[in-house]
Amino acid sequence: MRDLGFRTLDLRGGGRAEDQATWRSLCSRAAGLEGEADAAARAIIADVRARGDAAVCELTSRFEQRTLTPEQFEISREARAEAAARVSPDLRAALVTAARGIRVFHETQAHGDTGLEIEDVSLYSRVAPLRRVAVYAPGGTAAYPSSVLMAGIPAKVAGVPEVILVTPRAPDVVLLAAEIAEVDRVFQIGGAQAIAALALGTATVPRVDKIVGPGNAYVTAAKRQVFGLCAIDGIAGPSEIVVMADAAADPELIAADLIAQAEHDVLACAILVTDDEALVPRVTAALARQLGDLPRAEIASQALREHGAAVVVDDLAAMVAAVNAYAPEHVELLVAEADEVARQIVSAGAIFVGAFTPEAAGDYTAGPSHVLPTAGAARFASPLGVWDFVKHTSVLRLGRAALAAQAPAIARLARAEGLEGHARAAELRLRETT
């Protein structure tokens, strides 16, 4: 049986100082906001700003060993259709099933203008879709057509007129997902150079209002740095899960869900939180068995060893506290009274309740977007949704009587702030005319 090196942190009764320090370190993880990727992204953005398409071509050759001309950036609709037609009928059917669930769920998030009218005062928040957004789909160790659906469909439900997909390598299944999601244009560029091109605009790549979707550390660093030139969905770190389990939980299910997250990449985080010490060796044994024939066993094993842990705490309340402290992207509840426990989880991107709700259902078919806050951002951030693809504009209209009622307060506040022009702009409108 393989030695996983899956560590155990015993936090019962306060726990050892060493285990407490390790747990604090796990909870305070960051999404690579500084370091090599940050510096590299800064240089790439500056290069694309200066040289546009030429920089994108050169950087693509340097980092991806692909030769592209600007004329080859965009994949034509004809080529996309041909690629989509090559996908097997069963895989097409699976994507259609997933898309249907995603669309139905996100249609519940649509909302309209809000506001009020009182006599001669009209105040509104007007809701309108963004005009052009980009969905980034990774093209590294795995293809993610599901990410295209999970980001592209909410954008279209929101009414975005132009959705652009950028991906460094576009296998047929990803192009089929783009067709099903009704993506308007597809560009076969990637990395920090693609983010820069989308945020700045080049002769070939249109400037977008927002960039969404996960990517590697360089993509994440570039997204952070272009914020302000355009909007972004968030700072994506490695994927992560916490499985909360009590003594009655099935160790095979726990192991399966930890592995499902760990196989994403070697930086993925997979944590077990339990109040039953005896469960830990049973889960460790199940992990070793299931990794035996897993195609991505080396990736999953390294992730479990370097970023995973079994955390043993005193009781259910301590389990809830541990989950909220970690603020995971995903949390799975394999405990008694799971619905009640779910109400106590206040810091998580998505909560999977009960033994028949694997995190994999959220990745593909259940409906809510799997683009979720990571690296502890679930303390303050939300899943990707229709709300990410609209903006609110305040619309104000005052009649003369309403302005007359407000003008004394306007003038007093303006003069208190040393802004005489503000005060006069209100008072001037109320002058008696002959």
Side-chain angles (χ1 to χ4, degrees):
M1 185 175 292
R2 82 169 59 213
D3 179 14
L4 294 178
F6 189 60
R7 60 191 151 184
T8 298
L9 306 178
D10 190 344
L11 305 185
R12 291 174 296 181
R16 296 185 307 159
E18 179 182 344
D19 286 352
Q20 288 284 2
T22 301
W23 177 239
R24 286 194 298 271
S25 177
L26 288 172
C27 290
S28 63
R29 66 209 180 281
L33 299 184
E34 297 178 350
E36 177 185 343
D38 199 60
R42 185 174 296 107
I44 289 169
I45 293 166
D47 193 12
V48 174
R49 185 191 297 273
R51 298 194 297 131
D53 287 339
V56 175
C57 293
E58 183 179 313
L59 292 164
T60 299
S61 175
R62 184 193 311 172
F63 296 130
E64 300 176 25
Q65 292 73 55
R66 288 193 301 138
T67 300
L68 284 178
T69 65
E71 293 75 20
Q72 296 170 317
F73 286 179
E74 185 170 3
I75 301 175
S76 69
R77 285 194 173 274
E78 293 75 18
R80 289 164 52 186
E82 290 172 4
R86 291 192 291 267
V87 177
S88 64
D90 58 337
L91 183 50
R92 174 184 290 271
L95 285 171
V96 169
T97 296
R100 184 182 304 115
I102 296 164
R103 186 170 286 108
V104 167
F105 175 79
H106 285 90
E107 284 172 349
T108 69
Q109 295 178 347
H111 63 284
D113 298 352
T114 59
L116 55 86
E117 291 194 24
I118 304 174
E119 297 179 349
D120 63 345
V121 174
S122 175
L123 306 172
Y124 279 89
S125 291
R126 189 180 66 202
V127 181
L130 301 179
R131 294 172 299 173
R132 181 187 291 132
V133 301
V135 174
Y136 188 92
T141 59
Y144 294 104
S146 57
S147 292
V148 178
L149 301 181
M150 291 288 185
I153 290 174
K156 280 301 182 182
V157 170
V160 175
E162 187 174 4
V163 176
I164 294 172
L165 171 65
V166 291
T167 184
R169 293 176 177 84
D172 292 349
V173 67
V174 168
L175 294 177
L176 172 58
E179 296 295 295
I180 293 171
E182 301 177 2
V183 166
D184 297 284
R185 302 175 72 181
V186 180
F187 288 78
Q188 55 179 331
I189 57 175
Q193 61 270 23
I195 301 301
L198 292 165
L200 295 163
T202 71
T204 304
V205 182
R207 185 178 184 183
V208 301
D209 299 325
K210 189 166 190 173
I211 304 170
V212 304
N216 63 19
Y218 297 93
V219 168
T220 298
K223 283 174 66 178
R224 182 176 72 87
Q225 291 180 37
V226 301
F227 177 70
L229 294 170
C230 65
I232 62 172
D233 52 343
I235 306 297
S239 194
E240 55 197 36
I241 191 171
V242 170
V243 179
M244 180 194 291
D246 59 20
D250 184 341
E252 296 292 336
L253 294 184
I254 297 169
D257 291 327
L258 293 173
I259 288 172
Q261 207 62 34
E263 73 174 350
H264 273 293
D265 66 70
V266 296
L267 298 177
C269 307
I271 308 289
L272 165 64
V273 173
T274 183
D275 59 354
D276 179 40
E277 181 182 16
L279 184 63
V280 176
R282 296 165 63 205
V283 170
T284 303
L287 285 170
R289 284 193 299 273
Q290 293 183 31
L291 286 167
D293 62 352
L294 189 76
R296 294 168 68 88
E298 292 305 317
I299 291 172
S301 297
Q302 184 175 343
L304 289 165
R305 182 173 60 252
E306 297 180 1
H307 303 286
V311 181
V312 184
V313 298
D314 291 300
D315 51 27
L316 179 62
M319 283 198 279
V320 171
V323 170
N324 285 329
Y326 190 82
E329 178 186 16
H330 313 94
V331 59
E332 184 156 328
L333 305 182
L334 298 178
V335 295
E337 306 297 333
D339 288 307
E340 173 57 33
V341 173
R343 286 188 279 271
Q344 300 174 44
I345 304 298
V346 295
S347 295
I351 303 170
F352 299 81
V353 183
F356 294 100
T357 318
E359 185 272 335
D363 277 347
Y364 298 115
T365 57
S369 179
H370 72 203
V371 181
L372 299 165
T374 60
R379 293 179 296 111
F380 53 81
S382 305
L384 189 76
V386 170
W387 45 71
D388 282 287
F389 300 103
V390 299
K391 62 189 178 87
H392 295 74
T393 301
S394 298
V395 181
L396 302 80
R397 180 182 56 76
L398 302 182
R400 182 182 179 85
L403 179 60
Q406 295 182 28
I410 293 170
R412 290 190 185 97
L413 289 169
R415 289 180 174 121
E417 294 183 353
L419 300 173
E420 178 63 23
H422 281 60
R424 292 179 183 179
E427 293 171 337
L428 186 64
R429 286 170 163 76
L430 300 174
R431 291 184 308 178
E432 293 296 332
T433 59
T434 58

